[in-house]
Amino acid sequence: MDFANLASQLNAGAILPEGIVIITLLVVLIADLIVGRAADRWTPYVAIAGLLAAVGALYLGWNRLETVSFLGSFNSDNLSLVFRGIIALATVVTILMSIRYVEQTGSDLGEYLTILLSATLGAMFLSGSEELVMIFISLETLSIASYLMTGYMKRDLRSNEAALKYLLIGAASSAIFLYGSSLLYGLSGGSTSLAGIAAGIANSSQSLGVLISLVFVIAGISFKISAVPFHQWTPDVYEGAPTPVVAFLSVASKAAGFALAVRFMTIAFPSVSDQWQFIFTALAILSMILGNVVAIAQTSMKRMLAYSSIGQAGFVMIGFVIGTESGYASMLFYLLIYLFMNLGAFTCIILFSLRTGTDQISDYAGLYQKDPLLTLALSICLLSLGGIPPLAGFFGKLYLFWAGWQAGAYGLVILGLLTSVVSIYYYIRVVKMMVVKEPQEMSETIKNYPALSWKPFGMRPLQVGLILTLITTSLAGILSNPLFNLVNASVADVPLFEAAVPIRPAAPVSLQVPATPLSAVVPQSAPQAQTLNVNLRS
Amino acid sequence: MNLAEGVQTISFALLALMMIGAALGVVLLDNIVYSAFLLGGVFISISGLYLLLNADFVSAAQILIYVGAVNVLILFAIMLVNKREDFSPVPRRWIRKGGAALVSVGLFALLGTMVVQTPWVIPANLPATTSTLIILGEHFFSDYLLPFELASVLLLMALVGAVVLARREYVLDDEASVGEMPQLPLQLPERPKEPVALSGTSAPSR
């Protein structure tokens, strides 16, 4: 059986973007191994080029005819394409902001990029997995890479502490998720594909076993998106971890978690949709209230953004729980915008801490006098996160709340509006600190602010990232029509759970699913396809 | 009940007793070395259960990986951190212990109820498998191909990460010093990491 046949039979073209990321990862690793530290000058750009190529490959894969690949393990539908695009772009911006940071802390850039790229790979695979084993392996790839990156600053005690906490809590949540998955395997009579599970548990939908497995799976997912009862790791990890890693965790890891949630809940649990809707509503309410209220009291910028990201996850969950088509579309739209505004804010924080070595909010006082560009970018990003009208975040929230209102989730929307007002308070506080203070009220740090220079190594990419996120955050709201079209087209094939219970034709032997259309497309591969199936069934 | 079923029942009971006893010992004993060895007992009993379930390869892998690698690693870690320290007793410790016991018993009751209540779907006529290894291999290279390949990336990344975390870069003397007092390995001065790309000079590799 020759290779081309096999590849077309498995529909291997669906994972072309991930293949590009793997090759980039290997190139970076081997270049670092052979050339040594001198390779630090160009390996980040190789990584960025690879990720952009992956985004291009994602674009080429839009509207594939045959989306299921690798015998049902992976589904490269339009929804997964958008999620994978969000993750890859988030990594690009993260790399832009981390070159200088990693160099200045004296850590190795090559290994950092390798681990970051494998985290991206895990997150991208997670967005399209439709099978329990695949979901677990990609989830672990993402998680283990995240633990490693959290502890990357070996000589920083806070980084070590954060990594250990993250590892312990993450391992516990993985175990809980795995227990829920194994229950599902048993309840459905030995099926690991999500569609097969839905078919298997359709009859016994109200049994205690299904509910317990639902709760355990949701617990595992909520840890990834740091929804409130499972959020305890977030502030400590965000404070201790290297700042670019925090930026990655707050956007890419969260997007992957939402992708997993949408896929798992809509495909595997359509029969208990009331129950999971209820659980996620509770999580959304708690996240919005706690995240936004506790953020007021924070004095460290990173901790404040940690709690704000919990609150933002609560807003995104509104779009998820209402379960309508516009709900999913608004969730994707908000994630796309959140990518740029949150990463923009983190870029600014990194720039500030590189120049001054602190991230206390009080140290930002009077920054406007010394660094207008940084002040402008940070203000725009924070105001956009708060949802002030002409900026992108306002349109994202508007769409989310509009979709929620249409679906009749009045309570959630009103709570979202109220907590948004609270969030505006603490975002504006930082802006006021930077802009309004008189020159004599300047903090000591600002008085000693170093002269602006973009010349040193790694500053130029940081500047590019800053400008890029600034422009996108300012304009993506006003010029949002292409984004609207993108997200609306991508959610067209999400199974809505109001529909009848069997979402897809339930396949008892899931191996057979891709065989028939493929043999129609590639006639000469038909005999092989059949022998493959026969072997597997025996 | 014929002979085969009787043997099966008795070995299940023995293994379960072993496992529960060892697991309780792991949690309740104060000496951490005993706990580590009892953990090995838990792993071995689990592999016995796998054997009863016809999963011979998984059982062998369980012994090789968990007993042979993980448990030995835990013992190494305990012996390397050979630090005797008497912990001051926490006041009101029984409240915490009681709380933990309560949560565990509650969870056990919930899961037990679930196991008893649920109508498990058991396939009626399972074909007798002679070699599970072949079936596993078939799955690895058919429907589980993608996770199998992704696991290789996962392992590569874990390897790189482990090296990064464990690496210490020592300053090595140029000439070997014969006859001098050797320095203690943990007190070797660590070479300060100079950011090469920052300084502008393209110094050779490490």
Side-chain angles (χ1 to χ4, degrees):
Chain A
M1 191 186 295
D2 61 324
F3 184 73
N5 254 342
L6 189 66
S8 67
Q9 221 175 312
L10 291 173
N11 195 9
I15 61 159
L16 176 66
E18 282 79 7
I20 295 176
V21 175
I22 292 180
I23 290 171
T24 317
L25 186 157
L26 291 177
V27 167
V28 169
L29 187 64
I30 293 171
D32 187 63
L33 202 62
I34 293 174
V35 184
R37 300 214 71 188
D40 285 2
R41 293 181 174 281
W42 50 270
T43 42
Y45 304 107
V46 171
I48 289 174
L51 285 166
L52 289 179
V55 174
L58 288 173
Y59 177 75
L60 291 180
W62 190 257
N63 279 338
R64 285 183 82 89
L65 292 176
E66 183 56 43
T67 57
V68 178
S69 66
F70 285 87
L71 305 166
S73 289
F74 191 76
N75 190 350
S76 167
D77 53 2
N78 289 347
L79 182 75
S80 83
L81 286 177
V82 174
F83 271 118
R84 286 144 82 194
I86 292 176
I87 291 160
L89 283 178
T91 312
V92 169
V93 183
T94 308
I95 292 177
L96 284 177
M97 68 173 96
S98 43
I99 299 172
R100 174 75 194 177
Y101 189 94
V102 174
E103 276 295 326
Q104 192 153 328
T105 50
S107 308
D108 302 296
L109 193 56
E111 286 89 338
Y112 173 82
L113 288 174
T114 311
I115 300 174
L116 183 64
L117 283 175
S118 36
T120 314
L121 187 74
M124 285 171 80
F125 270 124
L126 190 58
S127 321
S129 319
E130 281 206 336
E131 197 252 292
L132 288 179
V133 180
M134 185 62 202
I135 287 176
F136 186 68
I137 299 269
S138 44
L139 189 67
E140 281 305 286
T141 311
L142 173 60
S143 309
I144 293 177
S146 310
Y147 310 146
L148 286 172
M149 287 194 294
T150 307
Y152 202 75
M153 303 299 147
K154 277 191 295 179
R155 293 187 192 78
D156 187 352
L157 277 182
R158 284 186 312 164
S159 174
N160 297 352
E161 183 199 337
L164 200 59
K165 273 184 183 164
Y166 196 20
L167 172 71
L168 291 177
I169 302 178
S173 88
S174 287
I176 292 173
F177 180 80
L178 200 58
Y179 192 84
S181 309
S182 71
L183 279 182
L184 283 178
Y185 177 76
L187 286 167
S188 64
S191 172
T192 56
S193 79
L194 295 185
I197 287 170
I201 64 174
N203 302 324
S204 60
S205 63
Q206 298 304 321
S207 82
L208 190 60
V210 174
L211 292 183
I212 288 184
S213 61
L214 174 70
V215 170
F216 280 11
V217 166
I218 289 182
I221 297 174
S222 310
F223 168 79
K224 267 275 153 270
I225 56 181
S226 62
V228 151
F230 311 98
H231 72 288
Q232 286 97 343
W233 61 276
T234 316
D236 291 330
V237 169
Y238 277 30
E239 195 178 14
T243 320
V245 175
V246 178
F248 178 81
L249 289 182
S250 73
V251 178
S253 178
K254 226 166 239 200
F258 275 111
L260 175 63
V262 172
R263 204 163 284 273
F264 214 117
M265 295 300 137
T266 55
I267 297 179
F269 287 121
S271 50
V272 282
S273 61
D274 287 339
Q275 282 84 350
W276 67 254
Q277 226 178 337
F278 174 74
I279 296 175
F280 270 105
T281 310
L283 293 179
I285 291 173
L286 288 176
S287 304
M288 282 192 288
I289 293 179
L290 189 128
N292 285 314
V293 170
V294 180
I296 297 177
Q298 302 306 316
T299 55
S300 150
M301 195 75 183
K302 271 161 91 178
R303 258 186 115 82
M304 189 199 91
L305 279 182
Y307 281 108
S308 112
S309 85
I310 295 175
Q312 303 277 352
F315 295 136
V316 177
M317 264 186 270
I318 295 180
F320 174 50
V321 291
I322 56 179
T324 57
E325 202 163 292
S326 58
Y328 292 125
S330 66
M331 170 182 144
L332 274 178
F333 183 71
Y334 196 76
L335 278 176
L336 259 174
I337 287 179
Y338 177 69
L339 186 171
F340 288 104
M341 55 196 188
N342 207 37
L343 289 182
F346 272 108
T347 311
C348 297
I349 294 177
I350 287 173
L351 190 55
F352 186 77
S353 67
L354 284 178
R355 283 185 175 155
T356 63
T358 167
D359 68 349
Q360 292 298 309
I361 293 177
S362 55
D363 287 336
Y364 281 76
L367 182 65
Y368 175 67
Q369 318 278 343
K370 291 290 177 78
D371 195 343
L373 173 67
L374 180 57
T375 312
L376 176 74
L378 187 52
S379 307
I380 295 270
C381 289
L382 288 181
L383 292 178
S384 176
L385 278 170
I388 301 290
L391 302 168
F394 169 73
F395 291 93
K397 273 190 186 156
L398 190 69
Y399 193 17
L400 267 179
F401 293 156
W402 174 80
W405 197 263
Q406 291 286 330
Y410 304 116
L412 269 181
V413 173
I414 290 172
L415 187 69
L417 281 173
L418 286 178
T419 47
S420 290
V421 174
V422 175
S423 77
I424 290 175
Y425 168 74
Y426 61 80
Y427 291 127
I428 293 257
R429 196 169 55 122
V430 180
V431 177
K432 173 174 157 263
M433 191 72 93
M434 290 188 298
V435 178
V436 184
K437 294 276 180 184
E438 298 295 318
Q440 61 270 19
E441 287 178 300
M442 232 183 247
S443 68
E444 281 303 312
T445 325
I446 299 293
K447 280 179 189 154
N448 304 325
Y449 200 73
L452 299 182
S453 164
W454 297 101
K455 282 276 179 276
F457 174 78
M459 290 304 266
R460 202 55 79 175
L462 197 59
Q463 189 186 21
V464 170
L466 188 71
I467 305 284
L468 189 76
T469 50
L470 176 62
I471 293 174
T472 322
T473 309
S474 332
L475 296 183
I478 305 163
L479 307 173
S480 57
N481 210 27
L483 289 183
F484 272 126
N485 293 339
L486 180 78
V487 294
N488 280 324
S490 73
V491 297
D493 49 356
V494 180
L496 298 178
F497 53 76
E498 290 96 336
V501 173
I503 296 297
R504 296 196 179 167
V509 184
S510 59
L511 311 181
Q512 270 180 324
V513 174
T516 12
L518 277 176
S519 55
V521 176
V522 190
Q524 68 270 24
S525 74
Q528 281 96 333
Q530 276 158 11
T531 49
L532 194 64
N533 282 323
V534 169
N535 280 342
L536 290 171
R537 265 184 292 171
S538 63
Chain B
M1 185 190 283
N2 57 16
L3 187 62
E5 280 182 5
V7 170
Q8 218 168 18
T9 316
I10 289 172
S11 28
F12 174 74
L14 278 180
L15 284 170
L17 271 181
M18 247 173 81
M19 181 153 68
I20 293 174
L24 282 176
V26 171
V27 181
L28 296 179
L29 286 184
D30 276 338
N31 191 330
I32 197 169
V33 181
Y34 293 166
S35 294
F37 275 110
L38 282 174
L39 191 63
V42 176
F43 290 147
I44 289 184
S45 335
I46 292 177
S47 84
L49 284 185
Y50 286 146
L51 267 188
L52 279 185
L53 292 170
N54 272 344
D56 48 358
F57 178 75
V58 180
S59 147
Q62 166 86 12
I63 292 184
L64 277 179
I65 295 170
Y66 282 92
V67 184
V70 174
N71 206 39
V72 170
L73 194 69
I74 291 175
L75 279 171
F76 262 110
I78 291 173
M79 288 171 187
L80 284 176
V81 189
N82 190 13
K83 197 174 178 186
R84 285 232 158 259
E85 195 173 324
D86 292 327
F87 293 103
S88 56
V90 183
R92 305 269 174 85
R93 184 140 177 257
W94 60 272
I95 295 184
R96 300 184 186 195
K97 279 190 164 175
L102 208 65
V103 169
S104 310
V105 170
L107 199 61
F108 179 77
L110 180 68
L111 294 178
T113 323
M114 177 203 69
V115 169
V116 174
Q117 270 191 1
T118 308
W120 297 98
V121 188
I122 300 167
N125 45 352
L126 280 172
T129 49
T130 48
S131 170
T132 54
L133 208 54
I134 295 175
I135 299 175
L136 279 177
E138 277 177 359
H139 276 298
F140 272 153
F141 286 96
S142 58
D143 52 344
Y144 296 131
L145 176 64
L146 192 58
F148 181 65
E149 299 294 340
L150 183 60
S152 62
V153 181
L154 171 64
L155 290 178
L156 173 72
M157 180 265 301
L159 195 68
V160 171
V163 169
V164 167
L165 288 186
R167 180 176 56 194
R168 282 173 163 260
E169 298 191 340
Y170 295 121
V171 180
L172 294 177
D173 289 333
D174 287 337
E175 64 265 35
S177 51
V178 185
E180 283 181 355
M181 280 289 288
Q183 273 184 302
L184 287 174
L186 286 178
Q187 290 172 348
L188 273 175
E190 211 168 330
R191 190 175 70 194
K193 181 75 62 58
E194 83 282 22
V196 175
L198 279 183
S199 57
T201 57
S202 59
S205 56
R206 39 189 98 113

